[in-house]
Amino acid sequence: MPSGCPRSGRKPHERRGLSNMIRSVVRGFGAALPKRVMTNRDMEDVVDTSDEWIVQRTGIRQRYIAGEGETTSSLGEAAARAALDRAGLTPADIDLIICATSTPDNTFPATAVNIQSRLGMHHGFAFDVQAVCTGFVYAVTTADAYIRGGLAKRVLVIGAETFSRILDWNDRTTCVLFGDGAGAIVLEAAEGEGTTADRGVLTAHLRSDGSHKEKLYVDGGPSTTGTVGKLRMEGREVFKYAVGMITDVIQAAFDATGTTPDDLDWLVPHQANRRIIDGSAKKLHIAPEKVVVTVDLHGNTSAASIPLALATAAGDGRIKEGDLVMLEAMGGGFTWGAALLRW
Ligand code: UT7
């Protein structure tokens, strides 16, 4: 039995009243990207922008754009298969699929059900969660609740998006920012001691405030216009709130577990803007070398950005078993949230 936090040597925080408990442990991870890369230079041919402006204001250098036949469910399926392979599992071992997306293949059925079908799964159940850029944190939190509640043993948690399909390609203030892709993890029930030395999800904190819904939204929908609509954002307004909301909810995760930025091995933030990521890490005194940044490669892939970043950093060996990892995101709604887990 572990007697302290592996890195800090501090005595782990005991959750009052809990001894052994079920934890949701990451068993596998995977990612999928469309074939086509679109660089900032390519973007200069589409709208009045420049590589210099995009890099300086956002840190983005390129993004992937889905082509014909590439959909949210096809990317989600590919990421899910990669995560299953890495876990040494097959679809038969999964009893729940949760897909975080705001760009479903169809208004219904859920993209998770599409992915279930693509995986040849006829058992278990599948549903989507829609919390825009915070979708993956919401999905991990939901999966953890199902696992700890005994309703599922192994959950495929997917973040998949094709935001290129809801962009206004005449609006330079938004179209340069987003990209397409998918990432997935397999969470599995495992017995833990109820301390922060356990592997698995240790705590999660979700927030929303719908009074900000006009700052980042899609101007269409089945019940309003009967059309899909295009993404609209008051970027400066969103920026104004981002760092405060992100750091508050990360702090809530530290407080709930008695951990500190020093205990953290990796911050894996939602990848919207390099300035927001750096500003949040700085405010919390999280060292820059502990921050996983992929916004330069993928742009903002909304609910897919965290699992893509996880797959990148775990795939290249940075995130290792036993590492303490903080996930955080903020986006349309507003929604925001953080989840602390031991990999
Ligand atoms: O993932 C969900 C959460 N979303 C976010 O976190 C996004 C939050 N917002 C942001 O990341 C930033 O606000 C942006 C990257 C969207 C914009 O950066 P900014 O530093 O806030 O720029 P700004 O909106 O204040 O615009 C500055 C200037 C404007 O020109 P004027 O009015 O100063 O003459 C814009 O018209 O930059 C202009 N501009 C552009 N110029 C070249 C806006 N978009 C572009 C562009 N290329 N693509």
Side-chain angles (χ1 to χ4, degrees):
M1 171 182 160
S3 60
C5 280
R7 294 285 167 127
S8 65
R10 289 184 318 107
K11 202 162 169 52
H13 172 74
E14 299 283 347
R15 285 178 185 235
R16 193 174 304 159
L18 291 174
S19 50
N20 283 15
M21 65 182 294
I22 300 295
R23 296 290 197 187
S24 310
V25 175
V26 178
R27 291 294 181 211
F29 57 86
L33 291 161
K35 287 186 201 71
R36 180 180 164 215
V37 179
M38 188 176 186
T39 64
N40 290 350
R41 293 260 179 249
D42 297 332
M43 200 59 84
E44 290 174 4
D45 295 334
V46 178
V47 283
D48 179 15
T49 191
S50 65
D51 175 56
E52 192 194 359
W53 188 95
I54 302 172
V55 171
Q56 203 180 71
R57 301 289 176 131
T58 71
I60 297 166
R61 292 182 184 277
Q62 61 170 47
R63 73 287 291 141
Y64 291 79
I65 302 292
E68 213 180 296
E70 291 177 317
T71 61
T72 297
S73 70
S74 77
L75 294 167
E77 178 200 359
R81 286 193 186 278
L84 287 169
D85 281 354
R86 193 161 287 258
L89 298 171
T90 72
D93 301 311
I94 298 298
D95 39 28
L96 168 59
I97 300 173
I98 303 177
C99 181
T101 188
S102 299
T103 46
D105 287 18
N106 302 90
T107 302
F108 75 80
T111 299
V113 170
N114 264 314
I115 294 170
Q116 180 190 28
S117 159
R118 284 171 171 276
L119 293 173
M121 252 177 87
H122 301 283
H123 66 280
F125 60 115
F127 60 87
D128 288 356
V129 301
Q130 209 277 52
V132 202
C133 298
T134 320
F136 192 74
V137 179
Y138 271 58
V140 164
T141 307
T142 306
D144 181 48
Y146 274 80
I147 287 172
R148 284 189 295 106
L151 295 169
K153 279 209 160 66
R154 290 197 197 95
V155 186
L156 251 176
V157 188
I158 303 164
E161 302 280 15
T162 46
F163 258 52
S164 64
R165 305 241 156 95
I166 56 163
L167 294 176
D168 176 351
W169 286 95
N170 295 310
D171 177 10
R172 69 172 183 173
T173 68
T174 53
C175 75
V176 304
L177 304 174
F178 295 89
D180 303 333
I185 59 172
V186 178
L187 286 178
E188 183 181 71
E191 190 90 0
E193 304 284 347
T195 73
T196 57
D198 289 346
R199 288 186 67 201
V201 178
L202 301 174
T203 191
H205 302 264
L206 303 181
R207 309 265 189 273
S208 69
D209 181 352
S211 66
H212 297 288
K213 64 184 163 50
E214 308 288 338
K215 297 185 178 84
L216 174 50
Y217 70 106
V218 170
D219 63 3
S223 171
T224 49
T225 59
T227 62
V228 172
K230 298 290 180 206
L231 182 148
R232 307 290 169 206
M233 178 166 73
E234 293 173 38
R236 217 175 299 184
E237 276 297 300
V238 179
F239 198 102
K240 231 166 64 182
Y241 288 90
V243 173
M245 288 177 161
I246 288 164
T247 51
D248 276 0
V249 81
I250 291 176
Q251 193 58 52
F254 280 134
D255 292 347
T257 50
T259 55
T260 71
D262 285 344
D263 300 318
L264 200 64
D265 294 295
W266 298 104
L267 173 66
V268 183
H270 169 49
Q271 310 282 323
N273 186 318
R274 181 76 203 237
R275 286 149 64 209
I276 295 173
I277 295 171
D278 291 348
S280 305
K282 193 171 174 196
K283 192 168 165 193
L284 288 164
H285 305 289
I286 296 170
E289 56 273 17
K290 292 182 174 181
V291 184
V292 176
V293 178
T294 52
V295 70
D296 52 335
L297 300 172
H298 304 148
N300 181 348
T301 57
S302 193
S305 89
I306 290 176
L308 274 170
L310 280 174
T312 302
D316 66 22
R318 273 179 287 170
I319 300 179
K320 295 183 190 63
E321 189 174 316
D323 281 356
L324 193 62
V325 180
M326 181 77 77
L327 315 181
E328 62 82 352
M330 180 266 186
F334 293 148
T335 56
W336 65 108
L340 184 67
L341 57 95
R342 192 169 293 286
W343 195 258

